[in-house]
């Protein structure tokens, strides 16, 4: 029996078990298990130290992506640059960290048919914003606007930009209107947090909003109603999970569409009255 799990706090909302289990079923890996464990930063080291040889890997969500780095034997260059690992692979007696969020963002943008942008603005300055900076760099963008509530709290993201070689133009939300003349707007804000800016963004040609439920967000509706292309957070979540399954199982024939169907079905189930 091989095991994997997603760790985070809170974790009950995670779609990862539905995505990974669908992949295992499609791959015929009936002796694989994937669970979700509530785990905060204080409990992370103890949990990881207690895992046995049957463990293939871990998916990490907030607040563990940065906290896990000191516990790893090796960390990919990308995870070092971004300052966080959302994936741990156990192999050859070691713990190896990587970041598949960046891949998920790049794939989500490509899947939507959006051309690599020549300009972009990111709302929010957390771990997802850092991964977005790296994704935009992969798409050829070396200058990005970052909009945050408090510039003094954007230090870690600014450091990520420096490691990536990206020029960052910082703004606060009261100046948002000055950085909306871009090809792509990315909101890494939690559900509801961008509602007040929806009217300002109505003319943006393309939006990537990391929220996947409830969907559509007010921001997504405003951009869509204005004729813009909108990407929700689910494609990113899907494609980062696909890459994780590839890394944990060693398989390259991962059933993407089966994973997509399982994830969407769970989103619909949760949105149903009484769920």
């Amino acid at each position: 029996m091989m095991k994997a799990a997603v760790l985070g706090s809170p974790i009950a909302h995670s779609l990862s078990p539905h995505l990974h289990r669908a992949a295992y079923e499609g791959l015929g890996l009936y002796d694989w298990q994937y669970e979700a464990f509530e785990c905060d930063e204080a409990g992370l080291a103890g949990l990881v130290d207690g895992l046995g040889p049957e463990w293939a890997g871990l998916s990490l969500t907030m607040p563990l992506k940065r906290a896990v780095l000191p516990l790893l034997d090796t960390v990919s260059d990308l995870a070092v640059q971004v300052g966080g690992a959302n994936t741990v692979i156990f192999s050859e007696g070691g713990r190896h960290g990587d970041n598949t969020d960046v891949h998920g963002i790049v794939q989500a943008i490509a899947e939507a048919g959006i051309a690599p942008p020549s300009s972009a603005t990111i709302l929010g300055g957390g771990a997802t914003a850092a991964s977005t900076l790296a994704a935009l760099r992969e798409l050829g963008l070396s200058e990005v606007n970052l909009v945050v509530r408090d510039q003094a709290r954007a230090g870690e993201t600014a450091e990520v930009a420096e490691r990536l070689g990206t020029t960052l133009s910082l703004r606060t939300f009261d100046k948002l209107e000055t950085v909306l003349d871009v090809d792509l707007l990315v909101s890494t804000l939690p559900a509801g947090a961008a509602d007040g800016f929806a009217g300002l963004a109505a003319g943006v040609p393309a939006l990537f909003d990391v929220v996947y439920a409830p969907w559509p967000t007010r921001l997504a509706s405003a951009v869509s109603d204005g004729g813009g292309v909108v990407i929700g957070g689910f494609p990113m979540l899907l494609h980062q999970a696909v890459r994780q399954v590839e890394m944990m199982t060693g398989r390259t024939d991962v059933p993407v569409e089966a994973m997509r169907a399982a994830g969407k079905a769970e989103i619909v189930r949760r949105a149903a009255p009484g769920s």
Side-chain angles (χ1 to χ4, degrees), residues 94-114:
R95 306 167 179 171
H96 312 287
D98 211 333
N99 185 300
T100 67
D101 286 333
V102 176
H103 171 77
I105 295 167
V106 170
Q107 288 298 112
I109 292 172
E111 188 175 80
I114 296 175

Side-chain angles (χ1 to χ4, degrees), residues 119-123 144-148 169-173 175-186 204:
S119 57
T121 292
I122 300 172
L123 308 183
V144 177
N145 303 307
L146 184 73
V147 185
V148 293
S169 178
L170 275 174
R171 297 285 194 282
T172 49
F173 279 100
K175 299 290 193 296
L176 174 59
E177 204 165 0
T178 66
V179 288
L180 288 178
D181 186 17
V182 290
D183 293 338
L184 177 65
L185 177 65
V186 181
V204 172

Side-chain angles (χ1 to χ4, degrees), residues 108-109 112 114 121 123 180 182-188 194 198 201 204-210 215-224 228-233:
I109 292 172
I114 296 175
T121 292
L123 308 183
L180 288 178
V182 290
D183 293 338
L184 177 65
L185 177 65
V186 181
S187 175
T188 67
V204 172
L207 168 72
F208 173 37
D209 189 333
V210 303
W215 186 260
T217 62
R218 191 175 299 175
L219 181 65
S221 293
V223 173
S224 179
V229 178
V230 173
I231 312 168

Side-chain angles (χ1 to χ4, degrees), residues 209-256:
D209 189 333
V210 303
V211 174
Y212 63 83
W215 186 260
T217 62
R218 191 175 299 175
L219 181 65
S221 293
V223 173
S224 179
D225 291 346
V229 178
V230 173
I231 312 168
F234 178 69
M236 168 193 170
L237 186 66
L238 168 66
H239 288 293
Q240 65 81 28
V242 169
R243 177 58 61 89
Q244 285 183 336
V245 172
E246 291 175 346
M247 296 171 70
M248 292 180 191
T249 66
R251 297 280 292 268
T252 58
D253 54 338
V254 177
V256 179

Side-chain angles (χ1 to χ4, degrees), residues 11-262:
I11 200 61
H13 69 287
S14 178
L15 283 177
S16 292
H18 302 275
L19 298 173
H20 284 253
R21 290 169 188 167
Y24 298 164
E25 182 176 352
L27 291 169
L29 299 176
Y30 303 116
D31 58 342
W32 280 65
Q33 290 183 346
Y34 190 98
E35 304 297 335
F37 295 140
E38 183 79 16
C39 179
D40 59 15
E41 293 177 73
L44 181 60
L47 190 153
V48 173
D49 287 344
L51 300 180
E54 73 276 19
W55 282 84
L58 297 171
S59 310
L60 300 174
T61 185
M62 297 302 293
L64 305 178
K65 296 180 183 181
R66 287 173 175 148
V68 75
L69 295 180
L71 307 178
L72 302 175
D73 298 303
T74 64
V75 182
S76 71
D77 290 343
L78 179 59
V80 169
Q81 290 175 329
V82 171
N86 75 321
T87 308
V88 177
I89 303 298
F90 300 107
S91 65
E92 300 177 354
R95 306 167 179 171
H96 312 287
D98 211 333
N99 185 300
T100 67
D101 286 333
V102 176
H103 171 77
I105 295 167
V106 170
Q107 288 298 112
I109 292 172
E111 188 175 80
I114 296 175
S118 59
S119 57
T121 292
I122 300 172
L123 308 183
T128 305
S131 293
T132 302
L133 285 173
L136 292 173
R137 184 198 61 174
E138 285 197 18
L139 293 172
L141 200 55
S142 59
E143 297 182 10
V144 177
N145 303 307
L146 184 73
V147 185
V148 293
R149 298 195 184 282
D150 183 359
Q151 291 193 18
R153 298 178 63 184
E156 288 184 338
T157 311
E159 291 173 4
V160 171
E162 187 173 353
R163 289 194 293 268
L164 293 169
T166 298
T167 300
L168 207 59
S169 178
L170 275 174
R171 297 285 194 282
T172 49
F173 279 100
D174 59 317
K175 299 290 193 296
L176 174 59
E177 204 165 0
T178 66
V179 288
L180 288 178
D181 186 17
V182 290
D183 293 338
L184 177 65
L185 177 65
V186 181
S187 175
T188 67
L189 301 176
D195 286 358
F197 313 118
L200 292 175
V204 172
L207 168 72
F208 173 37
D209 189 333
V210 303
V211 174
Y212 63 83
W215 186 260
T217 62
R218 191 175 299 175
L219 181 65
S221 293
V223 173
S224 179
D225 291 346
V229 178
V230 173
I231 312 168
F234 178 69
M236 168 193 170
L237 186 66
L238 168 66
H239 288 293
Q240 65 81 28
V242 169
R243 177 58 61 89
Q244 285 183 336
V245 172
E246 291 175 346
M247 296 171 70
M248 292 180 191
T249 66
R251 297 280 292 268
T252 58
D253 54 338
V254 177
V256 179
E257 295 311 313
M259 293 174 69
R260 191 192 308 274

